[in-house]
Amino acid sequence: MLAGDRQLGKLAGILIAFIGVCSSGAVLSGEEQDVGLRPGVTLTVTDTFDGRPFSYQVTGITRKENYQVVFVRYPSPVESELPQNNIIPVEYYLPTDVSATGPKRPAVICLHILDGSLELVRMLGSVLASHGVAAVVFPLPYYGERGGPSGPRDILGEPQRFLRVLEQTYLEVRRATDFLASRPEVNPQRIGVAGISLGAIVAASAAEREPRIWRAALILSGGDILKIVATAREAEPLREFIGRLSEEERAKVIEGFREADPITGAHLLRERALAGRVLMINAAEDEVIPRDCTDQLAAALGIKDRVVWLEGLGHYTAIAALPEILQQTAGFFAQDVPEELQKARPIAESPTPLNRIAACLREMTQFYTEEPRAGTCHILHLASEVEGQTFDVLLIRGRGHQFRLEGQLGSFGRVMAGQGDYPWLVARTGKVFAGEPGAPLETKSPLTYVQGVLLERLRFTMLALAGLAGTPAALEPLLQIKEEKTQEGVSLTVWPAGNESSKITLTFGGLSNMPNVVGIASTDQSVTIRIKSWQLHAPVSAGVFSPPAGGSVQNVSRNDLYRMFGALVNFAAEQLP
């Protein structure tokens, strides 16, 4: 909810940049319907929550593979002292098969995290639109282009402004509801709200104040805001702000917190929650929003036994479950998509660039997450030149802890190691160091002594990649792709949207899901990786996990070998940019 949300947003951005999956300018087959949204058009909303009509202008449209983003601007229902804060720039995510005269679809208002990063809610908006649900995303008061030089920090400059901003946010959710209810393609009876962290707390309170909200999805949320502020490390700047206030001002701010707390108005949302129209997804080990705070809000809503808990994850590491969260949230709102629209959704006749990369991701993560079937193994053989150093590595993964690794690892030199019934390592002299063969000892993971932080990064990255492979639409808002036909096959160049300083080029031959060549280019270096062999569940050869025969053998402690394996992996990780 608080300053730590910045880390959550950064983690999402790092994850997206790391995997290099893209967006595309293509639109699925099927005739696009006219709903009156064209750049330069100005339309008026007459039926509003406060009885005051307002107009909105369409400033642009970006077409994606499964949806389009319509950029709209309209005035805030609150006029503040900062002119730019009084105009709301809205991104309207719209499915490609919308029709002004056809069945109406549900829509969702998506609210962002504390640091103002829109990446997560843009991903949510894209997944919703890909499921046939319209969505709007916009920066909250004083965030992004709506803020002054200090951005949202200006909110803390004066106590009454801080309290006014809370109220302005709720009113802007109501204005967004007006906007969506006015759209001919939207069912005004099926408008929802979704938020992440701070956005989830705001979403809960906004839904309590706006009876037109049909569904609410609260991700990493809780109640008892005063407790969160009093205990969370990330809330220290806010605590210092409150501490500087006079006793009278402090009392007003605390009372403002109580009024804004979703627990206070939970009775207004309880009926919808009991009817199954409030979804709560929370991290079981959340270090920012204590579990007790989540329990209090869930109990006030009457759904304490329905909270979806992400076991083993915290507020920031919940990024590992991001694909699962996005799919579950989209499915929650997609329940209201008319059946005829669900059946009519177009299907691409051939693999799109986005889907091809998703298939590639699925196979990549299978190597790590899926154990080979009995009698088979996974095989990866790749080669590269990096700053004059040669890397040529063959990795074979078997069942359990079986593996074989051999090749040239740059300045580290020639490597040959593995584990079948016992671990072993071949020295540069050719001598085989065997980890107590024949001893009644269980084998361990070869990663036992790898740095813990590397293992955690690997685990969370692979979990997220595996999920995102099944949710390619979540990546479209942040990434770009260029497809080219080459002599080798199809080349896909991928880079983060708005930043062409680093690109990844994947060259595919034939219909394979894995590229033959991966090119990584940045402002300071370029690396080409050739994938010589890639196989999942390949037949395993007898003795592949045993040391080479014929050389001298020296028995050593198994733990010593595991430490060497750990040093090898740690060294390789240090070579990565």
Side-chain angles (χ1 to χ4, degrees):
M1 162 188 170
L2 302 159
D5 278 345
R6 185 176 301 108
Q7 301 304 319
L8 186 63
K10 286 182 178 179
L11 279 172
I14 291 171
L15 173 64
I16 299 303
F18 173 76
I19 61 182
V21 183
C22 61
S23 65
S24 168
V27 178
L28 289 179
S29 60
E31 184 178 354
E32 188 175 331
Q33 301 296 319
D34 180 18
V35 289
L37 295 173
R38 300 182 185 84
V41 167
T42 299
L43 301 170
T44 300
V45 179
T46 57
D47 189 4
T48 66
F49 77 93
D50 58 2
R52 295 186 299 165
F54 67 93
S55 297
Y56 61 90
Q57 183 179 35
V58 179
T59 60
I61 298 177
T62 298
R63 307 191 191 284
K64 301 291 185 177
E65 191 169 294
N66 299 297
Y67 62 93
Q68 53 190 316
V69 183
V70 181
F71 297 91
V72 172
R73 300 177 74 86
Y74 56 68
S76 170
V78 175
E79 185 173 346
S80 67
E81 80 292 345
L82 197 63
Q84 62 264 37
N85 186 49
N86 301 331
I87 299 297
I88 307 175
V90 175
E91 298 173 15
Y92 183 31
Y93 290 74
L94 200 57
T96 56
D97 56 347
V98 294
S99 170
T101 58
K104 296 179 181 295
R105 62 190 64 246
V108 180
I109 302 162
C110 304
L111 305 179
H112 62 70
I113 59 180
L114 181 74
D115 81 332
S117 172
L118 297 179
E119 283 88 350
L120 291 173
V121 284
R122 282 172 172 155
M123 292 171 73
L124 178 57
S126 69
V127 175
L128 285 166
S130 298
H131 280 70
V133 180
V136 294
V137 170
F138 59 90
L140 298 181
Y142 292 91
Y143 280 90
E145 65 180 76
R146 303 182 63 187
S150 302
R153 291 184 178 274
D154 289 337
I155 298 173
L156 300 183
E158 187 261 313
Q160 293 308 311
R161 177 190 298 164
F162 179 77
L163 297 178
R164 288 196 302 270
V165 166
L166 291 177
E167 185 61 28
Q168 182 177 354
T169 301
Y170 305 140
L171 295 177
E172 290 187 355
V173 171
R174 303 194 74 179
R175 173 139 294 185
T177 305
D178 293 337
F179 165 74
L180 290 172
S182 74
R183 294 299 310 153
E185 67 276 3
V186 170
N187 183 345
Q189 305 301 319
R190 294 295 183 268
I191 295 174
V193 65
I196 303 171
S197 195
L198 169 67
I201 295 175
V202 172
S205 294
E208 293 165 359
R209 290 162 168 77
E210 176 50 79
R212 292 175 294 175
I213 295 295
W214 175 254
R215 291 183 185 273
L218 314 177
I219 303 166
L220 304 181
S221 65
D224 196 351
I225 298 178
L226 287 173
K227 180 176 181 178
I228 297 172
V229 171
T231 60
R233 172 177 55 83
E234 292 79 0
E236 185 174 352
L238 192 53
R239 288 197 294 271
E240 291 179 353
F241 160 66
I242 295 174
R244 294 193 298 268
L245 301 178
S246 67
E247 185 173 342
E248 181 180 356
E249 290 174 329
R250 188 181 305 117
K252 290 181 180 179
V253 170
I254 291 175
E255 180 58 28
F257 272 129
R258 290 198 178 98
E259 292 179 2
D261 198 311
I263 292 178
T264 302
H267 62 285
L268 299 172
L269 188 57
R270 186 181 176 92
E271 182 178 348
R272 285 169 279 179
L274 292 174
R277 302 205 304 271
V278 174
L279 171 67
M280 293 184 67
I281 302 176
N282 284 82
E285 309 298 330
D286 200 315
E287 62 273 49
V288 174
I289 299 177
R291 183 161 182 156
D292 176 62
C293 292
T294 296
D295 285 338
Q296 287 186 61
L297 177 57
L301 294 172
I303 56 172
K304 188 176 180 180
D305 60 337
R306 304 185 201 174
V307 177
V308 177
W309 291 104
L310 305 174
E311 298 297 338
L313 297 178
H315 198 78
Y316 315 128
T317 54
I319 191 72
L322 180 59
E324 172 189 342
I325 293 170
L326 293 175
Q327 287 283 31
Q328 189 164 6
T329 303
F332 173 69
F333 290 107
Q335 296 177 73
D336 297 322
V337 175
E339 185 176 354
E340 59 267 43
L341 287 177
Q342 296 179 18
K343 292 180 178 179
R345 289 193 62 71
I347 299 175
E349 296 179 356
S350 60
T352 64
L354 197 62
N355 290 337
R356 189 164 200 170
I357 292 180
C360 171
L361 282 178
R362 279 194 295 273
E363 290 205 11
M364 287 174 56
T365 56
Q366 278 180 303
F367 195 102
Y368 175 80
T369 62
E370 185 174 307
E371 184 173 74
R373 294 188 292 268
T376 71
C377 63
H378 298 334
I379 301 173
L380 169 63
H381 188 187
L382 54 83
S384 179
E385 290 279 338
V386 181
E387 296 182 350
Q389 298 187 48
T390 298
F391 291 80
D392 192 311
V393 181
L394 170 65
L395 174 61
I396 304 175
R397 180 192 171 189
R399 291 176 63 81
H401 299 312
Q402 294 181 326
F403 82 99
R404 183 184 188 90
L405 173 68
E406 60 180 273
Q408 181 73 25
L409 287 182
S411 61
F412 194 94
R414 185 73 184 171
V415 173
M416 184 178 292
Q419 178 166 259
D421 296 330
Y422 58 91
W424 53 268
L425 177 70
V426 179
R428 294 180 181 178
T429 60
K431 177 180 289 188
V432 176
F433 293 97
E436 301 170 83
L441 299 172
E442 292 184 1
T443 57
K444 294 181 181 180
S445 165
L447 304 179
T448 298
Y449 291 101
V450 173
Q451 295 177 19
V453 65
L454 293 179
L455 291 179
E456 281 298 289
R457 288 174 182 170
L458 178 62
R459 183 171 78 90
F460 287 125
T461 297
M462 287 301 169
L463 285 172
L465 286 177
L468 285 171
T471 319
L475 306 171
E476 286 198 82
L478 303 177
L479 302 152
Q480 297 293 324
I481 184 171
K482 179 181 179 182
E483 181 181 16
E484 294 181 306
K485 304 293 184 180
T486 66
Q487 291 183 343
E488 293 79 14
V490 176
S491 176
L492 304 178
T493 301
V494 181
W495 66 95
N499 179 11
E500 297 189 31
S501 61
S502 297
K503 295 183 178 181
I504 298 177
T505 300
L506 309 176
T507 302
F508 297 82
L511 298 178
S512 172
N513 289 331
M514 291 299 296
N516 299 327
V517 180
V518 178
I520 304 173
S522 63
T523 54
D524 54 356
Q525 71 175 35
S526 297
V527 177
T528 299
I529 302 172
R530 295 193 173 274
I531 300 179
K532 295 183 174 181
S533 178
W534 174 270
Q535 298 179 65
L536 297 177
H537 304 292
V540 67
S541 303
V544 70
F545 301 116
S546 301
S552 61
V553 178
Q554 179 178 334
N555 291 348
V556 297
S557 163
R558 289 192 179 185
N559 272 332
D560 287 344
L561 284 178
Y562 291 132
R563 289 189 177 91
M564 291 181 187
F565 294 162
L568 187 65
V569 176
N570 291 335
F571 169 83
E574 291 173 359
Q575 308 311 303
L576 297 175

